[in-house]
Amino acid sequence: MTNLKTIIMGYLYAILAVLFWSFNVIVARYFADTFTPWQISFYRWFFASIVLLPFTIKQVIKDWDIITKNFKILFWLSLTGIVLMNTFSYYAGRTISAVEMSLIGVMGPVFIVILSRIFLHEYISKFQYFGILISFIGVITIIVHGQFLMIGDLKLQIGDFWMSLLALSFAIYSVISKFRPKGISQLTSLSFTIFLATIIILPLFIYDNIKSPICNWTSLEIWTLLYMGIFNSILAYLFWNFALDKIGSLKSSMIYYLMPVFSSVEAYFLLGENIYPAQIYGGLLVIVGIFMTNKKSDKVELERP
């Protein structure tokens, strides 16, 4: 039987990861008129590499044979979970609000459920589907400000498209994480994928830097990028991977629904964006759906063949 402490720690890791990630949409909006998306991505992961590599380079060299044998998996983890997923959010931040970004991005777990069912054959009970449905209704409530008659009049912006791609990339990353090589530690794997992502982004960064060079840096911008490199990148990804190992992709994905709750509060205090009553009601529905799904899923997984 699954150890209760392991389950609790898995949920805690997932919550912390989502909390750190929730600031990503705030940064995307803050830097929307200052840096290009590829510039933000490069500096974020470059700083993360500088912090990680001194502690992991020896282990990376030691595990090089395992890394080369599993390069395809590590490449796709780097591309979907680091390069694309985050850069999509920076493109979205140019046209839609931080609250809207988090609301659309939170649909990632819906894709995770579908992909987990198709590729991992994870069992999903009717009770779990009901919890997911309640969470989904909560998200829709937030999007339309509680006015469901407006659904037919909603007009999608290009930022909505980018956030939809982000949600899909997140789901692919979470499912692929199940196949990450077991012979290397989470920290070593993360260090290599971050370094690989930095290399992938470098040509696009150089191209953007030639077109739109950054002339003036403020201390706030530097500290923000350092935060992104450490908390939003290193710690968040480590915590999320720990959560996937301890409680699985399905239960971790339900915690991801807390993203709009965190981001809405942060957007209100840091960006001055409004929070509507419907967002509060919708957020409560999201949380109720999460707890319903997680409570049932513990028993379901024990019964799964």
Side-chain angles (χ1 to χ4, degrees):
M1 188 173 180
T2 305
N3 186 278
L4 179 59
K5 182 179 179 181
T6 300
I7 295 175
I8 293 174
M9 290 304 297
Y11 288 144
L12 179 60
Y13 284 135
I15 290 172
L16 287 174
V18 172
L19 176 62
F20 291 149
W21 273 332
S22 67
F23 282 97
N24 200 41
V25 297
I26 307 299
V27 172
R29 286 294 296 162
Y30 178 74
F31 284 142
D33 300 322
T34 308
F35 295 166
T36 70
W38 292 111
Q39 286 172 336
I40 302 174
S41 288
F42 176 79
Y43 285 121
R44 172 184 175 180
W45 299 113
F46 176 72
F47 287 144
S49 296
I50 290 177
V51 172
L52 264 183
L53 280 179
F55 299 99
T56 60
I57 187 65
K58 290 184 178 179
Q59 195 62 40
V60 169
I61 296 174
K62 182 180 178 181
D63 296 333
W64 190 250
D65 288 341
I66 301 175
I67 290 174
T68 53
K69 290 178 181 178
N70 296 274
F71 182 80
K72 287 185 179 179
I73 292 293
L74 294 173
F75 172 81
W76 283 107
L77 286 172
S78 180
L79 182 65
T80 59
I82 297 179
V83 177
L84 297 180
M85 187 175 78
N86 294 281
T87 308
F88 288 156
S89 70
Y90 304 139
Y91 274 107
R94 293 180 156 194
T95 56
I96 60 177
S97 70
V99 174
E100 288 177 286
M101 290 169 64
S102 65
L103 293 172
I104 299 173
V106 81
M107 296 308 295
V110 174
F111 291 112
I112 290 178
V113 170
I114 297 172
L115 295 179
S116 295
R117 178 60 179 165
I118 295 173
F119 296 106
L120 303 181
H121 307 293
E122 292 195 4
Y123 177 74
I124 305 173
S125 70
K126 292 181 180 179
F127 193 86
Q128 286 176 293
Y129 278 122
F130 188 56
I132 293 171
L133 177 61
I134 290 180
S135 294
F136 182 76
I137 292 174
V139 171
I140 296 299
T141 302
I142 298 171
I143 291 176
V144 301
H145 299 166
Q147 301 179 39
F148 289 94
L149 295 178
M150 291 176 54
I151 293 179
D153 298 327
L154 287 178
K155 294 182 179 180
L156 296 179
Q157 302 184 63
I158 186 63
D160 301 320
F161 170 74
W162 288 119
M163 289 307 295
S164 297
L165 289 181
L166 179 150
L168 180 59
S169 296
F170 172 80
I172 295 173
Y173 168 80
S174 296
V175 173
I176 294 177
S177 293
K178 281 283 188 177
F179 305 99
R180 68 173 58 248
K182 300 296 183 183
I184 57 179
S185 68
Q186 294 277 16
L187 188 61
T188 303
S189 175
L190 179 65
S191 179
F192 179 76
T193 53
I194 286 178
F195 177 75
L196 183 59
T198 306
I199 299 301
I200 295 172
I201 295 169
L202 181 59
L204 295 165
F205 163 76
I206 293 175
Y207 176 76
D208 272 5
N209 219 41
I210 293 174
K211 290 177 53 182
S212 306
I214 303 172
C215 300
N216 298 314
W217 286 78
T218 67
S219 58
L220 179 59
E221 290 169 347
I222 294 173
W223 282 111
T224 300
L225 288 171
L226 285 173
Y227 164 83
M228 294 287 288
I230 297 174
F231 289 90
N232 201 285
S233 304
I234 299 173
L235 293 181
Y237 276 80
L238 278 177
F239 289 160
W240 186 253
N241 289 335
F242 289 154
L244 291 174
D245 285 342
K246 292 180 180 298
I247 59 177
S249 61
L250 183 59
K251 284 178 277 191
S252 297
S253 70
M254 293 302 102
I255 300 299
Y256 195 71
Y257 277 118
L258 288 173
M259 182 75 77
V261 179
F262 293 147
S263 295
S264 296
V265 174
E266 294 156 7
Y268 176 79
F269 287 104
L270 298 178
L271 301 177
E273 294 185 2
N274 293 326
I275 297 179
Y276 302 97
Q279 292 175 327
I280 298 176
Y281 306 145
L284 290 175
L285 285 174
V286 168
I287 295 173
V288 169
I290 291 171
F291 283 110
M292 285 179 60
T293 306
N294 288 331
K295 181 178 180 181
K296 184 64 178 179
S297 61
D298 292 336
K299 298 179 180 179
V300 169
E301 287 199 351
L302 292 175
E303 298 169 357
R304 189 182 60 192

